[in-house]
Amino acid sequence: MAVPRSLAQRIYLLAYDPDKGKVGSGTHLGAMLRAATLADLYLGGHLTDERGRATIDVRRPCDDPVLDALLEEIAGSKPHAWQSWINHGQGATVRAVRRNLDDGGWVHLQPHKILGLFPVTRVIIRDPHVRDELVGRVNSVLHEPLDSIDPADAALVAIITAADLDLVLDRKTRRANEQRIRELTELSGPIGPALRKSIQAAAVGEV
């Protein structure tokens, strides 16, 4: 099965812990998915960076409901910093990305009740090899010639490292590849640094 096209769907699968059968707590999933959606819009030419703010460049359909929803949200608002767009709407984005993965056949959503009372949704990856391929792609980007790297793959690394997603790249690996990660972050645009700021602000209660 092919990997999903959207960065948000790829990030969701990478954040999924196969051993636990779920996305672990403390992964900053909502912030990562908002950042990934912004990165897709930026790399796709829909958004541009204007003095640190996300600005509509080309407004056209993206053929992806998550991307289209965020683009409409940005178009209907005054310009805001990238960090601001990452901070808001995280829950809705998580649910929408999860539905997209279910619709595309990458995951199965299973309604469930904890203690028979509290409704939750279990997420089951249908083909573990898709996640394995994404993990391999992230690791290979750390060693390939920079001029041969797809900016979308660079954005994956930038988002993962900004959120300290140890499940994919542990601290030791990040430290050993600090220079390459900086290069990949620059290649992918303003999203990685904005995500880092968003997570840091949330940690001290500023969001």
Side-chain angles (χ1 to χ4, degrees), residues 110-130:
Q110 185 179 74
H112 173 66
K113 287 187 177 181
I114 297 175
L115 302 177
L117 297 172
F118 307 104
V120 296
T121 301
R122 285 176 176 162
V123 181
I124 302 168
I125 289 184
R126 292 183 181 273
D127 185 356
H129 292 98
V130 173

Side-chain angles (χ1 to χ4, degrees), residues 7-8 32-42 66-67 70 93 97:
L7 282 170
M32 285 197 297
L33 296 188
R34 288 288 284 190
T37 304
L38 287 167
D40 258 337
L41 291 172
Y42 176 80
V66 178
L67 297 180
L70 182 52
T93 298
V97 171

Side-chain angles (χ1 to χ4, degrees), residues 40 51 59 140:
D40 258 337
R51 295 193 294 271
R59 189 176 176 183
S140 68

Side-chain angles (χ1 to χ4, degrees), residues 129-167:
H129 292 98
V130 173
R131 186 183 182 279
D132 293 341
E133 182 176 339
L134 287 170
V135 172
R137 184 175 298 188
V138 167
N139 282 282
S140 68
V141 166
L142 297 177
H143 308 290
E144 294 173 357
L146 193 64
D147 59 4
S148 70
I149 292 172
D150 185 335
D153 289 336
L156 275 182
V157 174
I159 291 168
I160 287 165
T161 55
D164 296 331
L165 188 60
D166 289 339
L167 185 65

Side-chain angles (χ1 to χ4, degrees), residues 34 37-38 41 47 54 56 59 65-80 84-90 92-93:
R34 288 288 284 190
T37 304
L38 287 167
L41 291 172
L47 297 178
I56 298 287
R59 189 176 176 183
V66 178
L67 297 180
D68 285 330
L70 182 52
L71 193 60
E72 286 299 312
E73 192 179 344
I74 293 171
S77 173
K78 64 181 181 180
H80 290 292
S84 178
W85 290 116
I86 292 172
N87 293 344
H88 298 102
Q90 294 181 8
T93 298

Side-chain angles (χ1 to χ4, degrees), residues 76 82 95:
W82 298 96
R95 292 188 292 272

